Amino acid sequence: MNSKSNGPELRAAARSFSPYVPGLSIDEIKERYSLNQVIKLASNENPLGVSPKVLEVLKTSGCLSFRYPQSGVPRLTRAIATHHHLPASMVAVGNGSDEIIDLLVRVLADPGRHNIVAFKPCFSIYRLQAKLAGVEFRQAPLKPDFSFPWEELLSLVDANTRIVFVTSPDNPSGYCPPAEELERAARALPSSCLLVIDEAYMDFCDDEAAHSLLPRLREFPNLAILRTFSKSFGLAGLRVGYGLLPEYLADVLTRVHLPFSVNILAEQAALTALEDMDFYEKTLATVREGRKMLSSKMRELGFEVLPSQANFIMVRPPNGLAANDLFEKLLQKGFIVRPLKSYGLDAYLRVSIGTPEENLLYAQACEEIIG
Ligand SMILES: *Cc1c(COP(=O)(O)O)cnc(C)c1O
């Protein structure tokens, strides 16, 4: 790290900042192992790619690139509100839900005074953005079966806790707590603390109604829900996510964010994605079927497979095979999955659900390696 220079000194939080660790890219692996074909099951992207209708719109919208988008993307905000049967005043759209996470930290928590609480391990952006903001980050270890120890979490909450982040379904385990658990947590938290439920993967759940508080959002004054276009809508590269929030928070987020953080093509694409429910439903069906198929296939091969409600499964290889060895061997065969070292789960891998064909090829590759 070259942090030493003659310029102004960096803040301590910036000096010691270690960035988000993304999945490897297809081109990287093609080059490293001289492969023609690489299958990426590492970043929970949409197995069906981009909706054909979105692709059409992107082709014809390039000519708008010289224009600034409308600040606050009001058309998309209204479309999202309609999609969830909520008023537009409860929606804040961002450059991925990552931006909403970052903004919530910065509008709610004072550095050196307030704290933020989450489970451990958790989606690393919560910790990273808290750290960059200079805000204390507290974590309660998940139970051995990766379910949520609410008592431990609540014991970390005090009068200075401004946010509790919970991911449901959870990343990387795929665990999805029942809605009643979340309701109890929301009611147990002091009103000075916002419960943020990150539902990036909720639409892949077999029974959304039993697991999401979204339909009842307005009953809870201290509840926010995050959703994204990156997974089920297939727009990870365009960066659109949103928060469904109490009005005063949606209002402040749309006032403090950089004016054009959602670009004009991303807005067009997201608007069209919301209209292409055929593609969306096909995605959900593909993921749900693939998840069932791949989970049972992996179990047949002797893997431990955590029950998942997301578009990925977390697995532990059989016969004492180290997860990292399997990861390397899969790379050589042209399959990229996600090692979980950065989550502190060295024994496990996370595998995104692909197309039926990709899932089959992946299972075959595992079978060959395990022998
Ligand atoms: C993928 C993911 C997101 C989505 O992030 P975007 O910035 O919207 O792409 C949010 N939370 C979790 C837990 C995720 O895994």
Side-chain angles (χ1 to χ4, degrees):
M1 271 304 209
N2 187 11
S3 57
K4 197 100 183 92
S5 84
N6 295 323
E9 201 180 324
L10 294 172
R11 284 176 57 221
R15 228 172 3 215
S16 62
F17 195 81
S18 42
Y20 178 77
V21 185
L24 294 168
S25 82
I26 290 181
D27 288 339
E28 244 172 299
I29 297 310
K30 274 189 181 164
E31 199 173 299
R32 195 190 297 174
Y33 298 102
S34 316
L35 295 161
N36 296 321
Q37 202 208 354
V38 166
I39 293 175
K40 184 184 177 200
L41 302 172
S43 299
N44 307 336
E45 292 150 344
N46 191 312
L48 303 183
V50 184
S51 135
K53 288 190 179 139
V54 170
L55 209 52
E56 212 41 54
V57 162
L58 286 172
K59 278 186 203 153
T60 57
S61 301
C63 58
L64 291 172
S65 299
F66 76 106
R67 294 277 183 210
Y68 279 103
Q70 251 185 303
S71 185
V73 286
R75 278 200 307 153
L76 180 55
T77 305
R78 282 195 298 271
I80 291 167
T82 304
H83 181 68
H84 290 298
H85 312 289
L86 286 168
S89 54
M90 293 180 75
V91 179
V93 188
N95 187 274
S97 39
D98 291 350
E99 186 186 18
I100 306 294
I101 293 166
D102 179 59
L103 290 172
L104 283 172
V105 170
R106 290 195 286 149
V107 300
L108 287 172
D110 264 333
R113 173 158 171 243
H114 295 130
N115 65 75
I116 292 174
V117 173
F119 291 118
K120 186 185 178 98
C122 69
F123 186 51
S124 55
I125 301 291
Y126 313 147
R127 178 175 46 80
L128 293 172
Q129 299 321 115
K131 186 169 182 194
L132 188 60
V135 172
E136 185 194 352
F137 193 69
R138 302 176 176 176
Q139 291 183 277
L142 292 175
K143 294 188 194 173
D145 65 355
F146 297 95
S147 63
F148 293 168
W150 291 107
E151 293 287 316
E152 281 79 353
L153 181 110
L154 291 171
S155 75
L156 298 180
V157 171
D158 61 24
N160 286 322
T161 304
R162 282 303 171 89
I163 304 175
V164 167
F165 281 110
V166 170
T167 314
S168 178
D170 202 8
N171 179 5
S173 76
Y175 170 75
C176 193
E180 302 81 66
E181 262 186 39
L182 296 161
E183 173 173 3
R184 249 178 282 137
R187 299 204 191 283
L189 286 170
S191 60
S192 53
C193 176
L194 182 73
L195 175 61
V196 178
I197 305 177
D198 183 343
E199 293 192 345
Y201 302 100
M202 184 56 85
D203 20 14
F204 299 113
C205 178
D206 286 323
D207 184 0
E208 218 181 297
H211 294 88
S212 177
L213 289 183
L214 198 157
R216 299 171 46 203
L217 181 61
R218 276 181 282 192
E219 291 174 34
F220 304 90
N222 63 336
L223 178 64
I225 289 177
L226 306 183
R227 293 259 177 140
T228 179
F229 282 89
S230 296
K231 314 287 167 37
S232 50
F233 288 104
L235 299 181
L238 288 178
R239 316 299 307 124
V240 194
Y242 53 95
L244 306 167
L245 312 140
E247 280 189 15
Y248 80 102
L249 280 172
D251 175 64
V252 74
L253 294 203
T254 46
R255 281 188 292 115
V256 303
H257 75 65
L258 290 171
F260 309 111
S261 63
V262 177
N263 73 68
I264 206 162
L265 293 183
E267 182 186 22
Q268 285 293 337
L271 278 165
T272 308
L274 280 176
E275 284 164 13
D276 191 355
M277 281 297 125
D278 277 355
F279 177 82
Y280 177 75
E281 292 298 338
K282 217 153 102 189
T283 297
L284 300 190
T286 303
V287 166
R288 289 182 187 137
E289 271 165 48
R291 182 171 67 205
K292 217 159 49 179
M293 190 286 263
L294 198 58
S295 299
S296 70
K297 198 91 192 142
M298 292 288 103
R299 287 195 183 108
E300 275 170 36
L301 293 175
F303 282 76
E304 178 194 345
V305 181
L306 278 294
S308 170
Q309 290 292 314
N311 66 342
F312 51 82
I313 53 174
M314 190 166 99
V315 302
R316 181 180 197 142
N319 311 330
L321 177 59
N324 206 53
D325 291 347
L326 176 59
F327 170 70
E328 291 291 338
K329 286 181 176 149
L330 282 167
L331 279 185
Q332 289 165 22
K333 286 179 175 285
F335 295 88
I336 311 176
V337 300
R338 185 67 181 262
L340 296 175
K341 204 174 157 58
S342 66
Y343 287 86
L345 298 170
D346 300 37
Y348 293 88
L349 296 175
R350 194 189 66 197
V351 185
S352 307
I353 307 302
T355 62
E357 193 194 4
E358 288 171 333
N359 298 336
L360 220 56
L361 289 170
Y362 169 76
Q364 275 167 14
C366 284
E367 192 164 6
E368 284 165 22
I369 292 168
I370 284 162

